[in-house]
Structure formats: C-alpha cells, structure tokens
Amino acid sequence: MTKRALIVDDSRTAYMVLAKILSNYNIEGIHAKSGDAALEYLARHSVDVIFMDQAMPGKDGFETIKEIKEDSRSKDIPIMMFTARSGEDYYREVKEIGAEGVLPKELSAEEVEDALIKLNLWGAISGQATAEEVREDILQPTSDEKLRVWLESFLENEFSPQLSNKVRKATDDLRRDTIHYGKRMLDEIAKSDKQQQVLQEVKGQTDYLKQLFKTSFKQYRLISSIFIVLLVVLTSGIVWLLYKTSVLTSEQQGLYQKIVVLTAESSEGERRLSDKIAKQSENMAKLLTEQTNNVSAAVNENEGIYSEQGMVGKLIGVESEGSRLTAKSAYGYLFTVTPQGRLARSNLKRYYMEPGCNGATYANALAGLVLKLEGNTLAYTELQGYALVQQPVSWLDTHDQCHEYSENEEVVLRQLLVNDERITGVTDTVYYQLNQ
C-alpha cells in the first residue's frame, strides 16, 4: 500500500527532488509551501511522515512543529527536519521540539533510505523488501538538482538572515532616531518663540536623517554585492569539483581495466614460467640419469664419499666408463668427482644479462649444484634459489670467449655464485670412495 509523506518547503525544487527519491520506496510526496499550508492540510488529511524545512515565510519549521505536536490528530506523526542547517546545538533543539532527526539537503537516495529505516517506513520492520532489491532501478537526483536544492537552503539559512538583520537594524536605527529628533524638535517649538530657528533645526535634522538613510542603503548594497560575488565563487567551485569527480571516475575505470589485463597477462606469464622451469628441471634430471644409468655395481645407500676431513656426503652414482662419481654433500648439494678424486670440470655455458659478459653469471643448471669452472674456481646454484626465465644478452664459451646471444628464445637460468664451503659442504680437494 502506498504511504504518504508531507514535504513542507517553500522551494518547489527541493520538494520535487525529495519526492522523486521517495517514489523509489513506494511513498507519495505531498507539497506544502508554508507552515500554515501544512497545518491546513493536516486538519483534513493524515500522512505517514512529515519532512519539515527550517526557514520559510511566515511560520518557520520549529513554530510549525510546535503547533503540529499540540494537535491530538497529528501529534504522533514522525517529523524529520529537511534543511542545510547542522551542528550539535541544532540537533539538540530538533530533539527537544519533538522531531526525529535531520535529513540534510545535500540529498542522496542512501540518506533518504537511512531516514526511512529509522522511521520504520522501509526495510524488514515495515514489511517492505530491502533497498537492494530496487537498487538497480533507483532514482537519484541529478547534480544540477542537488546543487539548486543545496544553494537555496544555504541562502535561506546563512545569507538571508544576515541580510534581513542588517536591514532590520538600519530601519530600527532610523525609526529610533526619527522619534528622538522629532520629540526634541517638538519640545524646542513648545519652549521657544523662535520658530524660524526651530524650522532650520528641523531642516538640518531632516537632512541628517536623509543622509543616514542613504548610508544604510549603501551598506545594504555593499553586502548584497559581496553576497553575489561569494555566490559566483561558490558555484564555480562546485562546478569544478563535479568536473574533477567525473574525470577521476573515468580514470578509475581505465585503471581497473588495465588491472584486469595485467592480471590476465601475469597469470599467463606464471603458467609459462612454471612450464619452462619444469621442462628445464626434467632435462637436467635426464642428463644426470644418462650420466649414471650405466653403473658398474649397485651403490649402497649408506656408502659414502670422503675427503681428508672425513665423510663429506653420500655416493649416489658411479659411471661405468671413467668411474666418475656423482655424490650429494651433507648439505644436499650435488657434485661430480673424476677418477683422480678431483671435482670434474663443467662444460655448461655461462650467460649474462649485460653485453660483454659483464655482471652476474647464470647457467642452465639444477638448483643445488656445485660446478668447477675455468681457472679451477668453484661455483654453485642455491638449493632453494629461484629460476629466471629471460633472454640473455651475452654468453661465455669453455675457452672464455664472449659472444653476443643471437637466438630468439628465452632460457631458464639460475645464478652462479662463488662457492662457499660453509653453505655447500663442498671444496676443491681430493675425494675418495672408502669401499671401492
């Protein structure tokens, strides 16, 4: 069943904007242009809620509410102040006269909905559906409408009272001075026979009063001019703010679209990286298998490999030709030993991300591998290190010759670090197998 709301406001724009929003919630808006018009309507009709403006011609909002609450037919109707005024003192006055709260004139459908829920006119308590069910079709006031409503209310509550007070004060001063000087002149006429002198004084006082009136009028015009300038500046600022808000909204939408694209590209890149790393690990595992698949004898899992300092690690494979040993150190790093008991030289290519083979050194190698490079230097790849999928810039062959990387494919690489025995458990020394 349609509910009815009485909107008491001398601004038709404010009424139309609020009525548009209330229609979203199956509430019919009824307009009363003044407090007297509202009282006359309530004497013959009933409504479910009243939205009351503060500043109106004739009775203001507080005077009208006082008369509504004194009438037994309308005293129980909930009332919300509909004004641009704010502040703790004003909210306290609103509560004291019997109103439920304040609905700001910077209107939005969300604020109206909160007020209706507070008054039990919308939501589960009132038996209505939640606002989310009508959110897609909800009518919002336009920016122009909101601006006009706010400006009208702002002028009524802020500037108009100040201008009225100035004019009233000037008028009161003029009336008081007129009475004062008139009485004085009458007294002088009664006391003196010099009527000509009195007439001259009257003329002088009249001229003074004229000048006083002109001065008051100039002050009024000055205040009006200042008000117009402030209004123009305020309107320009609001228009600029609305424009910037529109631009920011457009930029946010563009950024969101870029994030969606980057997220998709990132997921695809992660998948490609994972596939390449898995393939490289599989190739290196096959290489180790090929190096150790022709074993001369079964390797005991407890059989170790030793140096002068004692057991270094476990033997995991022995080549049938050349008897090269493949072992894993106590710290989990793989290394290969020649028949002479020394670390085997690596023939892996070394890659660089800078021209001229400068910068960090990389190799297509497994994680946790110790290698012997030219110059009898040892290097290793971290056991928990990450792989880098990238196209190198240059590479170094086994003769220490630097070349430009000319292929058009990315390579799965791990950085080669200078060997640290405390990390790998491997050093350049003589190794041997105890149970040969």
Side-chain angles (χ1 to χ4, degrees):
M1 181 176 64
T2 301
K3 297 182 181 296
R4 293 191 294 176
L6 181 61
I7 304 172
V8 187
D9 200 310
D10 58 329
S11 169
R12 182 164 183 79
T13 302
Y15 155 71
M16 292 177 65
V17 172
L18 180 56
K20 178 194 291 187
I21 298 177
L22 290 175
S23 66
N24 294 306
Y25 303 93
N26 202 25
I27 298 176
E28 177 188 1
I30 301 166
H31 188 202
K33 294 183 177 180
S34 64
D36 290 330
L39 294 171
E40 181 179 354
Y41 182 86
L42 291 173
R44 294 179 285 107
H45 304 87
S46 63
V47 295
D48 299 285
V49 63
I50 299 172
F51 293 92
M52 181 71 65
D53 186 20
Q54 175 64 41
M56 295 181 293
K59 292 183 177 67
D60 65 11
F62 283 179
E63 293 171 336
T64 306
I65 291 176
K66 182 177 180 181
E67 294 192 27
I68 291 175
K69 293 301 182 181
E70 291 174 351
D71 193 329
S72 60
R73 295 170 297 179
S74 58
K75 66 178 182 178
D76 295 326
I77 300 175
I79 302 174
M80 291 288 292
M81 297 305 297
F82 180 40
T83 177
R85 295 187 61 178
S86 60
E88 294 296 329
D89 292 340
Y90 182 72
Y91 292 157
R92 185 164 52 253
E93 289 182 67
V94 167
K95 291 290 186 180
E96 289 175 356
I97 65 171
E100 301 296 330
V102 178
L103 177 63
K105 280 201 174 179
E106 298 90 321
L107 276 173
S108 70
E110 291 76 11
E111 292 171 333
V112 175
E113 181 179 313
D114 290 341
L116 295 178
I117 292 174
K118 180 179 180 180
L119 297 171
N120 295 331
L121 296 176
W122 187 257
I125 297 178
S126 66
Q128 298 287 350
T130 60
E132 283 75 5
E133 297 181 16
V134 296
R135 184 72 64 197
E136 294 181 356
D137 298 326
I138 198 164
L139 295 176
Q140 288 275 14
T142 65
S143 299
D144 290 341
E145 290 175 337
K146 293 174 66 175
L147 178 61
R148 288 181 60 188
V149 170
W150 184 85
L151 283 176
E152 288 177 0
S153 179
F154 183 78
L155 295 178
E156 286 180 357
N157 290 280
E158 299 296 334
F159 286 101
S160 293
Q162 296 181 17
L163 292 175
S164 298
N165 290 336
K166 287 285 185 180
V167 174
R168 187 182 301 110
K169 185 177 183 303
T171 303
D172 291 342
D173 291 342
L174 181 61
R175 183 173 62 253
R176 184 171 57 255
D177 290 342
T178 301
I179 293 172
H180 172 73
Y181 287 112
K183 182 178 179 182
R184 180 179 173 184
M185 286 185 290
L186 290 175
D187 291 341
E188 291 294 330
I189 292 172
K191 293 178 181 179
S192 176
D193 295 332
K194 299 180 181 180
Q195 295 184 358
Q196 187 65 31
Q197 182 179 354
V198 172
L199 290 176
Q200 290 295 329
E201 186 175 349
V202 169
K203 183 177 183 299
Q205 297 298 334
T206 303
D207 293 340
Y208 167 76
L209 293 176
K210 289 181 179 179
Q211 186 62 37
L212 179 63
F213 180 80
K214 288 181 180 179
T215 302
S216 299
F217 185 71
K218 287 181 179 179
Q219 291 178 349
Y220 175 80
R221 291 184 61 184
L222 177 61
I223 294 172
S224 300
S225 299
I226 294 174
F227 161 71
I228 292 173
V229 171
L230 290 175
L231 181 60
V232 171
V233 172
L234 180 63
T235 304
S236 301
I238 293 175
V239 171
W240 179 84
L241 182 61
L242 292 174
Y243 168 74
K244 294 298 290 183
T245 302
S246 175
V247 172
L248 287 176
T249 301
S250 177
E251 291 178 352
Q252 287 177 349
Q253 291 176 350
L255 181 60
Y256 174 76
Q257 292 175 354
K258 288 182 180 179
I259 291 174
V260 172
V261 173
L262 289 175
T263 301
E265 292 177 352
S266 176
S267 299
E268 179 63 21
E270 290 178 359
R271 184 188 64 78
R272 289 173 52 243
L273 175 62
S274 177
D275 291 346
K276 287 190 176 184
I277 292 175
K279 184 176 180 181
Q280 184 262 358
S281 299
E282 181 181 350
N283 291 338
M284 291 302 297
K286 287 181 180 178
L287 178 60
L288 286 176
T289 302
E290 290 173 358
Q291 292 177 350
T292 59
N293 60 359
N294 296 320
V295 294
S296 59
V299 178
N300 190 308
E301 64 178 4
N302 295 320
E303 189 171 355
I305 188 166
Y306 296 80
S307 69
E308 293 179 354
Q309 285 74 31
M311 184 175 177
V312 176
K314 292 182 179 181
L315 184 65
I316 63 173
V318 181
E319 287 185 354
S320 58
E321 298 179 2
S323 300
R324 294 208 309 179
L325 308 178
T326 301
K328 180 183 290 187
S329 73
Y331 299 145
Y333 282 83
L334 294 173
F335 61 99
T336 304
V337 180
T338 67
Q340 291 76 30
R342 303 305 295 260
L343 289 180
R345 188 180 299 276
S346 171
N347 59 355
L348 290 176
K349 291 181 180 179
R350 281 166 287 170
Y351 298 92
Y352 299 86
M353 301 304 158
E354 297 180 12
C357 299
N358 293 315
T361 305
Y362 297 85
N364 193 327
L366 288 175
L369 191 64
V370 180
L371 306 170
K372 189 171 187 179
L373 307 177
E374 288 74 7
N376 293 326
T377 59
L378 299 186
Y380 76 101
T381 60
E382 291 181 313
L383 191 63
Q384 302 297 329
Y386 65 91
L388 177 68
V389 179
Q390 192 169 336
Q391 186 174 343
V393 176
S394 57
W395 62 280
L396 198 68
D397 62 20
T398 55
H399 301 291
D400 289 338
Q401 296 295 319
C402 184
H403 305 274
E404 180 182 353
Y405 187 79
S406 58
E407 299 181 22
N408 198 26
E409 292 185 0
E410 295 178 336
V411 185
V412 180
L413 302 172
R414 287 184 171 83
Q415 186 175 2
L416 292 180
L417 304 173
V418 177
N419 182 58
D420 187 342
E421 183 182 358
R422 295 170 299 179
I423 296 175
T424 64
V426 180
T427 186
D428 190 12
T429 185
V430 177
Y431 296 91
Y432 57 90
Q433 181 183 1
L434 186 64
N435 299 323
Q436 297 193 64

